[in-house]
């Protein structure tokens, strides 16, 4: 991608953001796109707020010098929780973030027992607690469980399939004991394991993931026309050991994917 071509940046710590990028591509929103995975410092959900802020601001500053970014999608709940406001204050292009779907969950839940699975970082963030304060009333029972270990296990599938199930089972048991009828996925990695999650619940529960909603915002922001439809994706990873680029490439459903050097 040359420096003057307007691009849409999609950013995550690893594979999670591909769930968002694939929706964007399926919607025929016109790119080109740069997918950036800061896998060297994954999982972001276990990093401190200060670390994530410094790291993401530095990456954005370098990317902004090199590319004509027309919009950025923070395809990561943890990054959105900690850095979205600072980024919006620093750049003129639209910055679209993720938010755990608490509002839709409240609408959908019949028994008002709502489960939330998110990274520890997201759960601890002010953005999350203020979301809860604003929308959750006394009649709701929120069961909030940090998904520690899940991101690493999702990244290492299929090798980590057994560890993943062993990690999920006690979490699901807690949700079931509390009688949830809705589960909010508060991390972009989790839609990757939606099948495993569904199979572990003994009752059918509604799963809320906000991918669709975020892509709607992007579509509106860019006032999308389907043509010209550019689906080129350049992928940048911060650590390419164990062929990480290949892993990302396989997860992205685009016609043309290229690796570019991390800034
Ligand atoms: N995918 C990111 C999110 O939505 C975080 C994953 C991580 O912990 O690195 O929060």
């Amino acid at each position: 991608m040359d420096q003057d071509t307007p691009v849409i940046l999609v950013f995550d710590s690893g594979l999670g953001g591909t769930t968002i990028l694939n929706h964007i591509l399926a919607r025929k929103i016109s790119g080109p796109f740069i997918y950036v995975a800061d896998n060297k410092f994954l999982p972001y959900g276990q990093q401190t707020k200060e670390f994530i802020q410094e790291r993401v601001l530095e990456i954005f500053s370098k990317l902004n010098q090199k590319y004509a970014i027309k919009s950025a999608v923070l395809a990561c709940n943890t990054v959105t929780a900690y850095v979205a406001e600072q980024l919006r204050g620093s750049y003129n292009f639209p910055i679209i973030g993720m938010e755990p779907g608490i509002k839709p969950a409240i609408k959908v839940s019949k028994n008002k027992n709502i489960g939330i699975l998110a990274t520890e970082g997201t759960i601890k963030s002010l953005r999350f607690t203020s979301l809860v304060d604003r929308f959750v009333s006394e009649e709701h029972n929120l069961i909030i469980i940090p998904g520690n270990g899940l991101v690493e296990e999702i990244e290492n599938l299929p090798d980590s399939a057994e560890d993943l199930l062993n990690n999920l089972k006690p979490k699901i048991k807690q949700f079931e004991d509390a009688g949830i009828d809705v589960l909010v996925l508060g991390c972009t990695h989790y839609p990757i394991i939606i099948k495993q999650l569904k199979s572990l619940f003994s009752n059918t529960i509604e799963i809320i993931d906000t991918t669709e909603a975020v892509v709607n915002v992007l579509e509106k922001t860019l006032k999308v026309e389907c043509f010209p439809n550019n689906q080129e994706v350049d992928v940048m990873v911060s650590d390419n050991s164990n062929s990480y680029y290949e892993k990302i490439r396989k997860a992205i459903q685009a016609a043309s994917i290229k690796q570019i050097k991390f800034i």
Side-chain angles (χ1 to χ4, degrees):
M1 219 115 2
D2 69 61
Q3 275 179 300
D4 303 320
T5 310
V7 290
I8 298 177
L9 168 67
V10 180
F11 182 83
D12 184 37
S13 59
L15 274 176
T18 64
T19 59
I20 310 287
L21 179 59
N22 285 334
H23 262 73
I24 296 174
L25 293 165
R27 232 19 127 72
K28 306 266 184 272
I29 292 174
S30 197
F33 303 90
I34 300 182
Y35 186 85
V36 178
D38 190 18
N39 60 317
K40 190 170 178 183
F41 294 103
L42 176 155
Y44 266 17
Q46 282 342 106
Q47 301 281 9
T48 63
K49 169 175 130 189
E50 292 71 25
F51 176 86
I52 295 176
Q53 287 177 337
E54 200 180 310
R55 178 83 186 151
V56 175
L57 288 172
E58 190 194 327
I59 292 174
F60 264 69
S61 153
K62 288 185 177 163
L63 288 170
N64 189 49
Q65 282 165 33
K66 236 181 145 192
Y67 298 98
I69 303 172
K70 70 171 161 180
S71 181
V73 180
L74 305 178
C76 174
N77 287 264
T78 317
V79 168
T80 307
Y82 287 133
V83 210
E85 288 323 311
Q86 273 169 292
L87 288 169
R88 286 184 183 128
S90 310
Y91 298 102
N92 290 327
F93 51 81
I95 294 178
I96 294 147
M98 302 296 305
E99 187 171 87
I102 292 181
K103 285 179 273 176
I106 289 172
K107 270 200 197 141
V108 165
S109 174
K110 293 196 174 67
N111 68 13
K112 303 196 183 338
N113 294 322
I114 298 169
I116 298 176
L117 189 61
T119 68
E120 201 175 336
T122 294
I123 293 169
K124 279 191 196 152
S125 70
L126 196 64
R127 199 178 164 109
F128 179 78
T129 43
S130 67
L131 187 69
V132 171
D133 288 347
R134 268 184 296 143
F135 296 102
V136 182
S137 62
E138 299 255 299
E139 54 177 5
H140 295 104
N141 177 25
L142 283 196
I143 299 89
I144 305 170
I145 300 186
N148 295 3
L150 294 179
V151 163
E152 299 92 304
E153 285 150 8
I154 292 167
E155 290 277 331
N156 291 319
L157 284 172
D159 294 353
S160 53
E162 204 180 317
D163 291 341
L164 174 71
L165 288 184
N166 289 336
N167 188 355
L168 281 175
K169 279 179 194 161
K171 295 181 167 59
I172 305 284
K173 182 167 183 327
Q174 267 179 275
F175 285 133
E176 288 203 312
D177 289 349
I180 65 159
D181 64 353
V182 178
L183 175 65
V184 175
L185 301 186
C187 168
T188 54
H189 277 74
Y190 302 161
I192 296 172
I193 53 158
I194 207 147
K195 261 200 209 137
Q196 290 92 324
L197 281 167
K198 281 188 176 158
S199 72
L200 288 170
F201 277 94
S202 36
N203 295 324
T204 315
I205 54 148
E206 192 80 39
I207 295 191
I208 308 270
D209 124 46
T210 47
T211 307
E212 205 70 46
V214 169
V215 179
N216 288 343
V217 176
L218 178 68
E219 198 166 40
K220 264 198 216 138
T221 309
L222 298 172
K223 297 184 188 59
V224 162
E225 290 157 31
C226 285
F227 299 100
N229 177 21
N230 183 323
Q231 298 234 313
E232 272 170 66
V233 181
D234 280 0
V235 175
M236 211 182 254
V237 301
S238 53
D239 176 4
N240 199 26
S241 50
N242 304 318
S243 308
Y244 195 77
Y245 161 73
E246 269 309 299
K247 194 186 274 198
I248 297 272
R249 195 184 60 79
K250 282 194 190 134
I252 296 175
Q253 288 141 23
S256 151
I257 308 176
K258 267 201 331 269
Q259 180 177 15
I260 47 173
K261 225 173 136 265
F262 201 78
I263 23 80

